[in-house]
Amino acid sequence: MTASRTPVPGLRERKKAQTRRTIQERALRLFLTQGFENTTVEQIAAEAGVSHMTFFRYFPTKESVVESDDYDPLIARIIQERPAHESDLVALREALLQGLREVYGVGQEALLARTRLILTTPALRARTWDNQYATQLLFAQALEARAPEGDELARRVAAAAALATVTTALAAWVEGDGARALPDVVDEAFRALCRDGDGHE
């Protein structure tokens, strides 16, 4: 029997993921110290130790460095795995909280920095609607995959409400300088949305 070894594609993907993280971390550091508008792609690439062209292989624009993460696909997958008997809003709430706890546990400082930049930088704030609209459609599609018999408009309304709740919680979290655990703030925001406090209608 031949000894098993890690497939080369797996190693390659891990290296690419590390390069992507390095670029994003260095970019956030520069944005916070000298401002988003004052930071160039060339400066980010130099700080990350990559070429100008390598930067664009990972991020199509400077704005995407702040906006890009793996959160939306993760949440969409979790939504599809939620029990079919749950209402759309409950499934969204539970999926968002589960995914957020995973992201928050390993990248709290980066998440705080990215969110603060989006809220305080006009060029990034202006792009928020486009990004949220795409996320709304993604989550509505995930709800449909979980329970195809539901109503499309109802799914989109639930997705929009859930996203608005998370966005409001994120703003409150940043305003509090991240003093409270973000999952707790998001959970409290959903409790405000769902008046009986447990997400059931």
Side-chain angles (χ1 to χ4, degrees):
M1 181 181 296
T2 58
S4 62
R5 58 188 181 129
T6 304
V8 173
L11 293 172
R12 185 180 299 115
E13 289 306 312
R14 284 197 293 274
K15 184 176 179 181
K16 287 171 64 177
Q18 180 57 54
T19 300
R20 181 183 177 85
R21 280 194 299 271
T22 299
I23 294 172
Q24 193 168 46
E25 288 169 2
R26 299 298 190 275
L28 289 173
R29 187 179 303 166
L30 288 170
F31 293 154
L32 291 172
T33 55
Q34 61 187 35
F36 179 82
E37 299 295 346
N38 295 327
T39 301
T40 66
V41 169
E42 289 77 9
Q43 289 174 326
I44 297 170
E47 187 72 15
V50 300
S51 70
H52 182 268
M53 293 304 297
T54 297
F55 173 93
F56 286 113
R57 282 204 295 270
Y58 288 91
F59 299 98
T61 64
K62 185 173 72 170
E63 289 81 3
S64 67
V65 178
V66 182
E67 299 165 342
S68 299
D69 59 35
D70 298 323
Y71 189 48
D72 289 356
L74 169 67
I75 298 304
R77 177 174 53 79
I78 298 174
I79 290 169
Q80 293 183 45
E81 295 170 353
R82 296 301 305 174
H85 65 80
E86 290 181 343
S87 71
D88 286 345
L89 192 56
V90 169
L92 286 160
R93 182 193 68 183
E94 295 304 316
L96 283 160
L97 284 170
Q98 180 184 336
L100 185 58
R101 290 186 184 103
E102 293 182 27
V103 174
Y104 183 78
V106 298
Q108 175 182 347
E109 292 304 319
L111 182 59
L112 181 62
R114 288 177 57 232
T115 307
R116 180 178 286 119
L117 278 168
I118 290 170
L119 292 175
T120 59
T121 306
L124 296 173
R125 257 201 334 269
R127 296 163 61 97
T128 300
W129 164 246
D130 286 340
N131 293 332
Q132 286 217 340
Y133 181 69
T135 300
Q136 175 190 320
L137 294 179
L138 178 66
F139 288 0
Q141 289 166 1
L143 289 170
E144 181 180 14
R146 181 186 69 103
E149 70 280 359
D151 177 74
E152 180 183 358
L153 180 59
R155 284 191 292 262
R156 291 183 62 175
V157 169
L163 285 170
T165 301
V166 172
T167 300
T168 303
L170 282 166
W173 180 58
V174 169
E175 289 163 6
D177 202 27
R180 294 182 60 194
L182 179 57
D184 292 343
V185 180
V186 172
D187 187 47
E188 182 180 334
F190 270 104
R191 288 177 183 275
L193 178 66
C194 307
R195 291 300 181 182
D196 64 358
D198 63 5
H200 294 289
E201 299 175 355

